């Protein structure tokens, strides 16, 4: 089952990313169904599927289903391109392709999936931990750091970039602890220090330095605690 999914996913990556030049994408967006590159793109998918499946024609119906569905999904995407946010459209497009691939795999390699798997204690603990290190930790840090108010910085920055950076940072720390890869945390701290050094040296502001240091230690501390608790509880399950 997994082997078949990997083969079909590889064909998808080859057709959708590796062998689809930017020129083809731009022409499809402009000419839509009239673009010859849309049909070249679908043909490449068909050939890629045949190759990765070693021309095993026992899978011919699966190949045709994936190829035809790919054409339909891409055609819908082209006509929704100006109506839906491009980031959401890309995600929905890829999700639709993966669902079709999963359905084809299920047809050839049927396997019963129990909903009880989603309620597995370890899985639920993992979900709790991820929510804590991302959303909950952000709220805790905001409450603690709100004690200190710095003057507004007029320098332009990406909207909510700091919050997303903090979430990713804590997710990495949590992952390193679960994997028992403690040296990765040191690497992450070093990398962040290098990027932050320029900002702090330009600002020459002790309050800003202390503010960033408190935020960093809080962020890493919460993620480390969460990782340790996860490992401990996992042993008890």
């Amino acid at each position: 089952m997994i082997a078949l999914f990997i083969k079909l996913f590889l064909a998808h990556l080859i057709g959708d990313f590796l062998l689809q030049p930017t020129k083809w994408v731009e022409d499809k967006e402009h000419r839509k169904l009239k673009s010859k590159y849309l049909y070249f793109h679908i043909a490449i998918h068909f050939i890629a599927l045949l190759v990765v499946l070693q021309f095993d024609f026992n899978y011919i119906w699966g190949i045709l289903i994936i190829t035809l569905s790919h054409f339909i999904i891409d055609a819908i995407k082209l006509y929704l391109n100006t109506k839906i946010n491009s980031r959401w459209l890309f995600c929905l497009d890829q999700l639709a392709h993966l669902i079709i691939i999963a359905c084809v795999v299920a047809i050839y390699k049927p396997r019963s999936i129990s909903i009880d798997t989603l309620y597995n204690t370890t899985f639920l603990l993992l979900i709790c931990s991820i929510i804590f290190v991302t959303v909950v930790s952000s709220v805790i840090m905001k409450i603690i750091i709100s004690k200190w108010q710095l003057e507004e910085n007029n320098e332009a920055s990406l909207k909510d970039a700091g919050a997303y950076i903090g979430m990713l940072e804590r997710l990495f720390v949590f992952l390193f602890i679960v994997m028992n890869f403690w040296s990765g945390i040191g690497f992450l701290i070093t990398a962040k220090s290098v990027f932050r050094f320029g900002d702090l040296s330009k600002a020459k502001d002790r309050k800003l330095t202390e503010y960033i240091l408190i935020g960093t230690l809080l962020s890493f501390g919460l993620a480390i605690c969460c990782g340790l608790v996860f490992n401990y509880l996992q042993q008890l399950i």
Side-chain angles (χ1 to χ4, degrees), residues 17-144:
F17 298 97
L18 187 61
L19 297 181
Q20 183 174 208
T22 305
K23 176 184 175 182
W24 289 19
V25 176
E26 293 173 348
D27 189 80
K28 288 193 299 178
E29 289 177 349
H30 177 65
R31 303 187 64 191
K32 297 184 172 46
L33 291 180
K34 294 181 180 179
S35 173
K36 62 181 180 181
Y37 295 117
L38 173 61
Y39 303 96
F40 289 171
H41 175 62
I42 300 303
I44 285 176
H45 266 283
F46 181 77
I47 295 170
L49 286 165
L50 284 175
V51 171
V52 297
L53 292 174
Q54 298 174 294
F55 294 90
D56 186 346
F57 289 97
N58 290 321
Y59 294 109
I60 190 61
W61 285 110
I63 292 172
L64 291 174
I65 289 171
I66 293 174
T67 304
L68 180 60
S69 66
H70 200 100
F71 173 78
I72 295 171
I73 292 169
D74 276 17
I76 293 172
K77 178 185 175 184
L78 291 174
Y79 284 96
L80 291 177
N81 200 30
T82 57
K83 299 178 182 179
I84 300 178
N85 182 289
S86 59
R87 292 187 298 275
W88 279 107
L89 193 57
F90 172 80
C91 293
L92 292 172
D93 169 68
Q94 294 301 315
L95 179 61
H97 291 315
L98 290 178
I99 290 174
I100 296 297
I101 290 174
C103 289
V104 170
V105 171
I107 292 172
Y108 285 95
K109 306 287 184 180
R111 183 178 178 181
S112 59
I113 300 176
S114 174
I115 195 170
D116 293 337
T117 305
L118 298 176
Y119 292 94
N120 178 277
T121 306
T122 302
F123 180 74
L124 293 176
L125 178 61
L126 177 62
I127 297 299
C128 289
S129 300
I130 291 173
I131 294 174
F132 181 83
V133 296
T134 53
V135 181
V136 179
S137 292
S138 295
V139 175
I140 293 173
M141 289 181 61
K142 189 179 293 183
I143 292 172
I144 295 174

